[in-house]
Amino acid sequence: MGLRSLEGGSALVTGAGRGIGREIALGLAEEGMNLGLLGRHRDTLTDTLHACVRLGVKCVAFTADVAHPGQVKAAVDGVQRDLGRIDLLVNNAGQVDRAEVPLWEADQAQWWQVVETNLRGPFNLLRSVLPGMVERGSGRVVNLNSGFALRPEGRYTAYATSKAALLRLSDNLAESLRPHGVTVLDISPGAVATEMTANMPMFEGMVHWGSIPYLVATVVDAARGRLDPLHGRFLHLGRDDLEALLRDAELIRARDARTLRLRPYGDEDPLGGYA
C-alpha cells in the first residue's frame, strides 16, 4: 500500500456507519490507521468495516448507543482488546432537532435525546478512553462540533445547547490534559451535505456545501499531531485558514482565544473577570 503516515496507530470513530463518520474512518484507513467503529446499526457498520479492511487495515465494529455508559464501556473494552491502545478518539455521533420549532413547542423526549447523544455520548467515550491515554502520556481527541455552539439558534435549541456544552467540556478538559500529552480539538465541519443536514429545513435548497474531503484531511492532520498547537481550541472549517491559525497558535493561547468566554459590556462590568 506504500508509505502511510498513520501506519500502526488505532482510532475509535463513533457514528461510523454512514455520513461523516464513515468518511473519516475511510480517510484514516487510507493512511494505515486501524479502526474501531461504533454505531447503532450493525448493517451500516459492517459496510464501513469491509471498506476499511479492503484498505489493508485491521478493523473491528461494535453496535452501541453512545448515550448508554454500559454499552460504550463494553465497546471500548472490545476495541482495546482487539486493537490495543486507542491513539485517536473521534466523537462524531450526533443528532439534531427533528423540527424547526421554538423550545416551548419541542418534543420533550426528543429534545433530551439530542442532548444526551451530543453531550453525554462524548462524555461516555471520554470517560472510557482517556484513562488509557493519560496513563500512556499520549493521545488525541477530535470532537465534531458546530457553528451553532457559538451563536443563539432558536430553531435548534437542543442541538445548539448540546454543542455549546460540548465545547465547554473540551475547554474544561484542555488544561488538565496538557501535562499528560493528550490533545483535544473541537472541529466544526461547516454545513456539509449529509443525511442529517438534508433533512434540516434551514438547508433546503442550499447549493454551496462545505467539503467532507477537507474535513477528513483535517482529522488526518489532527491524528498526525499537526494540529496539537491548537489544543483546546475551536476550529471552523470553511471559514478558518488553518495555516494562519497554526502560525498564530502561541498568540491564540496567550489571549485565551477560540474558547467560550463572557463578553463584558465595558470595564465597569462586575463580571468582566470571567471573560
Side-chain angles (χ1 to χ4, degrees):
M1 302 290 291
L3 182 63
R4 301 194 287 180
S5 63
L6 299 173
E7 196 84 47
S10 296
L12 173 55
V13 181
T14 69
R18 58 188 179 182
I20 288 174
R22 174 185 169 88
E23 296 304 315
I24 288 174
L26 291 171
L28 294 169
E30 286 179 348
E31 291 298 322
M33 206 165 204
N34 298 321
L35 271 303
L37 310 176
L38 264 66
R40 290 183 300 162
H41 305 291
R42 169 60 61 180
D43 54 346
T44 55
L45 275 181
T46 300
D47 288 343
T48 304
L49 182 148
H50 289 160
C52 290
V53 169
R54 285 194 292 270
L55 293 169
V57 300
K58 186 173 182 180
C59 188
V60 295
F62 296 89
T63 54
D65 184 334
V66 296
H68 291 272
Q71 294 181 26
V72 168
K73 185 179 185 305
V76 171
D77 287 348
V79 172
Q80 292 175 328
R81 179 193 65 234
D82 295 338
L83 301 182
R85 71 184 188 276
I86 295 172
D87 301 296
L88 172 69
L89 168 63
V90 180
N91 279 315
N92 164 71
Q95 292 191 28
V96 70
D97 309 56
R98 289 180 187 153
E100 287 188 349
V101 295
L103 181 142
W104 56 90
E105 296 177 8
D107 181 288
Q108 296 179 52
Q110 205 263 331
W111 199 97
W112 277 111
Q113 184 180 51
V114 171
V115 174
E116 286 210 322
T117 299
N118 297 354
L119 179 60
R120 192 180 186 187
F123 165 81
N124 288 336
L125 270 298
L126 289 163
R127 184 62 185 84
S128 293
V129 172
L130 281 180
M133 291 183 173
V134 168
E135 183 178 0
R136 290 194 313 274
S138 68
R140 296 181 176 92
V141 176
V142 171
N143 294 322
L144 268 293
N145 210 303
S146 168
F148 283 6
L150 307 179
R151 65 180 188 272
E153 179 45 75
R155 295 168 293 180
Y156 291 97
T157 54
Y159 184 75
T161 298
S162 63
K163 292 300 186 180
L166 178 60
L167 184 53
R168 175 61 77 202
L169 178 61
S170 298
D171 190 20
N172 278 292
L173 280 172
E175 287 308 307
S176 57
L177 288 176
R178 189 182 299 277
H180 300 287
V182 179
T183 295
V184 58
L185 298 163
D186 276 57
I187 298 178
S188 167
V192 295
T194 66
E195 183 177 333
M196 185 176 80
T197 55
N199 292 322
M200 295 170 69
M202 72 176 299
F203 294 126
E204 185 177 350
M206 187 167 182
V207 176
H208 301 293
W209 292 95
S211 169
I212 290 180
Y214 182 42
L215 168 63
V216 172
T218 302
V219 174
V220 168
D221 268 352
R224 291 173 177 141
R226 188 166 180 269
L227 303 183
D228 285 0
L230 297 170
H231 170 60
R233 309 298 154 178
F234 178 89
L235 311 178
H236 200 322
L237 306 188
R239 297 194 178 190
D240 277 330
D241 179 339
L242 294 183
E243 298 304 320
L245 291 183
L246 286 168
R247 286 195 301 270
D248 290 337
E250 290 187 13
L251 177 63
I252 289 169
R253 183 183 177 192
R255 293 186 176 177
D256 197 23
R258 288 308 182 101
T259 56
L260 286 178
R261 294 291 182 268
L262 184 71
R263 292 180 295 178
Y265 63 81
D267 294 339
E268 67 277 19
D269 190 334
L271 296 184
Y274 287 98

